[in-house]
Amino acid sequence: MDKFRTYDLILKKRNGSALSKDELEYLVEGYVQGAIPDYQVSALAMAVYFRGMSEEEALFLTEAMINSGETISLKAIPGIKVDKHSTGGVGDTTTLVLAPLVAAAGIPVVKLSGRGLGHTGGTLDKLESIPGFQTDLSVEELIRAVKQVGVAVAGQTKSLVPADKMFYALRDVTATVDSIPLIAASIMSKKLAAGADSLVLDVKCGSGAFLKKYEQAYNLACLMSGIGNGAGRDTVALITNMEQPLGRAVGNALEVEEAILTLRGEGPADLEELCLVLGGWMLCLAGKTSDPEAGKALLEKLLANGTALKKFQQLIENQYGDSTVTEDISLLPRAEKKVPVQAVKGGYVNRLEAGLVGMAANALGAGRETKDSKIEPAVGITVEKKIGDRVGSGDALAVMHVKSKTSAEHIYLAKKKILSAYGIEDKPCMKPRLVLGLVDRKGRQV
Ligand code: URA
Ligand code: CA
């Protein structure tokens, strides 16, 4: 006889009570083993969507999900291992910069990344636009690579958190993806299973993010930080602005180029700033510096003296890529044509909706519609004007990087999206704040 009846647990959640650790373990195990059918888990997910979960409940769910598969031990690598996770945005190039930057400070960085469905590829797709770069490492190879050069970026192994793969696919078709506790458990189970001691979470907020409103992003940040710290991993969550794309480049090879420029100290100010802030926290959690500001100051030096760029070269070489791309950007895949999108009137940019720019990049082939579709590494968009910038009528707002085979219809569609992403007013407009809030073990700052 089973310990519980699934029906009773659905009813309990539907009526607003919290499920216990044992009950959540029963549900997750039963689902993964095929003993509990999809329709019951769908009903449960919907009940969670409406009733929410306490922090403790979300932690129990996360732990039950972790127990559905293997976990990675990073004990063979000396030192405190800090991981970083972003909830995803448009042109979010941070991992490409942060991984070598933080490793340059002597902190081991083990990055498991996804490909993801989205406007552009994920971090793995971006790195694979570097000729020869391999992301398909076993756990042993990953650990060896980190011991050799202090940093490695690889794909998630299939054996981590199988419950999440099943559960996410179900949520996707039952309108229960955007439930804060389910998102938190999904992300945190994968992060905790990957073995880092401490975590810095970048919770994106705005039109280009999964969560559009500050309050939702703040709640997710609180819950993920609570789960991480509750699981004994020092966790900090920053809530950052994704109203407009980060940096200028949106597209796979274009973002690699942007990362190289940033590591040379020639990158866009917002991308550099976000990398320094997140990296400062990573150094602080790793015990390298006593506070995040000191971490940031150290990273500024490592950018300026070329150490961070050198670390990126080592990372590329160690994963069989051609590291001369860092000196000669023309070795990256390039689109044949550049098509500017011009402002129809002059003024100041007061809106640049990241979500629409992402859709435009996707229309050009930068992203993936389904798991099996191919991305086009060279295509994408560079935004020339951002919120607060002055524009003259006819100035290029953005440039589309297109292949000669890209159809006129797709180019037209992308151009329309870009034009609709921009708002231009006569009045000057401030540049938006980048870091909107912070949640750590000790408390919450809005
Ligand atoms: N990303 C995840 O990994 N899981 C979610 O549920 C949402 C975003
Ligand atoms: Ca970018």
Side-chain angles (χ1 to χ4, degrees):
M1 256 272 288
D2 275 328
K3 254 167 84 182
F4 303 105
R5 282 203 330 152
T6 306
Y7 177 94
D8 297 338
L9 304 185
I10 298 169
L11 182 68
K12 187 174 177 184
K13 188 77 247 173
R14 193 203 74 183
N15 289 345
S17 298
L19 296 171
S20 71
K21 184 174 168 66
D22 276 358
E23 289 168 342
L24 287 160
E25 273 169 8
Y26 159 84
L27 288 166
V28 173
E29 249 180 62
Y31 185 45
V32 172
Q33 286 165 6
I36 303 177
D38 276 354
Y39 52 82
Q40 285 190 302
V41 178
S42 307
L44 180 74
M46 192 57 85
V48 171
Y49 178 88
F50 282 108
R51 291 296 192 171
M53 275 188 161
S54 70
E55 191 172 300
E56 186 184 56
E57 227 182 339
L59 174 59
F60 293 150
L61 173 61
T62 305
E63 286 174 338
M65 287 171 69
I66 294 171
N67 291 338
S68 73
E70 290 170 16
T71 56
I72 296 177
S73 168
L74 300 178
K75 294 224 157 39
I77 302 166
I80 299 177
K81 275 73 68 184
V82 188
D83 199 356
K84 165 258 171 188
H85 180 78
S86 154
T87 59
V90 175
D92 179 4
T93 317
T94 49
T95 294
L96 301 181
V97 178
L98 259 184
L101 178 59
V102 169
I107 307 302
V109 177
V110 189
K111 194 83 194 72
L112 289 181
S113 288
R115 292 184 190 281
L117 297 172
H119 303 308
T120 65
T123 296
L124 297 184
D125 299 299
K126 292 173 193 174
L127 283 169
E128 282 172 359
S129 65
I130 298 171
F133 198 96
Q134 298 293 319
T135 59
D136 190 13
L137 307 183
S138 68
V139 173
E140 292 71 33
E141 286 168 328
L142 180 73
I143 290 175
R144 197 182 327 129
V146 176
K147 282 179 153 177
Q148 278 162 355
V149 299
V151 56
V153 185
Q156 239 156 40
T157 62
K158 292 195 180 58
S159 51
L160 290 190
V161 202
D164 181 60
K165 290 182 190 73
M166 293 174 64
F167 204 32
Y168 193 88
L170 190 71
R171 287 164 56 208
D172 206 22
V173 294
T174 56
T176 50
V177 167
D178 54 345
S179 151
I180 302 281
L182 298 183
I183 297 170
S186 166
I187 293 174
M188 293 304 288
S189 60
K190 286 173 283 190
K191 285 284 121 182
L192 298 177
D197 304 299
S198 306
L199 287 171
V200 175
L201 305 170
D202 180 9
V203 181
K204 304 278 188 197
C205 170
S207 77
F210 202 54
L211 301 174
K212 316 281 180 222
K213 298 216 172 75
Y214 182 79
E215 194 193 347
Q216 297 174 314
Y218 176 72
N219 289 340
L220 181 63
C222 291
L223 194 53
M224 290 203 295
S225 162
I227 291 171
N229 288 305
R233 319 280 179 98
D234 211 350
T235 304
V236 174
L238 284 96
I239 302 148
T240 70
N241 198 325
M242 199 16 94
E243 223 28 86
Q244 64 177 347
L246 189 63
R248 287 171 10 120
V250 180
N252 298 283
L254 290 171
E255 289 187 49
V256 171
E257 176 178 343
E258 183 170 68
I260 292 167
L261 291 176
T262 306
L263 288 163
R264 284 184 191 164
E266 300 160 10
D270 59 347
L271 176 62
E272 179 181 301
E273 175 67 13
L274 185 61
C275 291
L276 289 170
V277 171
L278 294 170
W281 272 105
M282 289 172 80
L283 261 53
C284 172
L285 294 192
K288 178 84 183 172
T289 58
S290 56
D291 57 62
E293 290 74 29
K296 191 172 173 227
L298 173 55
L299 294 177
E300 274 167 3
K301 279 199 200 116
L302 298 172
L303 271 187
N305 69 17
T307 316
L309 184 67
K310 207 164 279 154
K311 190 51 81 179
F312 193 40
Q313 290 164 349
Q314 288 175 352
L315 161 68
I316 295 172
E317 271 161 34
N318 206 37
Q319 295 188 225
Y320 314 104
D322 180 359
S323 70
T324 53
V325 294
T326 59
E327 280 137 30
D328 181 2
I329 282 168
S330 72
L331 295 170
L332 287 168
R334 294 214 157 180
E336 291 89 353
K337 281 194 292 185
K338 289 187 189 181
V339 183
V341 179
Q342 289 160 320
V344 287
K345 66 170 198 171
Y348 294 88
V349 178
N350 71 347
R351 181 173 61 84
L352 170 50
E353 267 185 64
L356 292 169
V357 178
M359 282 182 215
N362 204 9
L364 297 176
R368 211 185 244 109
E369 303 284 343
T370 71
K371 259 194 324 220
D372 304 315
S373 41
K374 272 209 165 12
I375 60 157
E376 195 56 75
V379 304
I381 290 158
T382 42
V383 293
E384 303 293 325
K385 301 287 181 188
K386 298 197 46 167
I387 297 175
D389 287 347
R390 200 188 140 85
V391 288
S393 176
D395 283 357
L397 294 170
V399 176
M400 299 185 285
H401 299 251
V402 306
K403 302 283 288 180
S404 38
K405 65 173 189 219
T406 311
S407 73
E409 192 190 333
H410 281 104
I411 296 172
Y412 177 71
L413 194 72
K415 181 179 165 185
K416 256 182 38 184
K417 291 270 180 224
I418 292 169
L419 283 173
S420 66
Y422 276 92
I424 296 170
E425 285 283 340
D426 296 337
K427 279 200 317 269
C429 170
M430 297 261 286
K431 289 204 176 294
R433 239 172 60 210
L434 196 56
V435 178
L436 305 173
L438 170 84
V439 181
D440 70 2
R441 194 162 34 115
K442 297 192 210 85
R444 293 153 190 203
Q445 270 169 254
V446 189

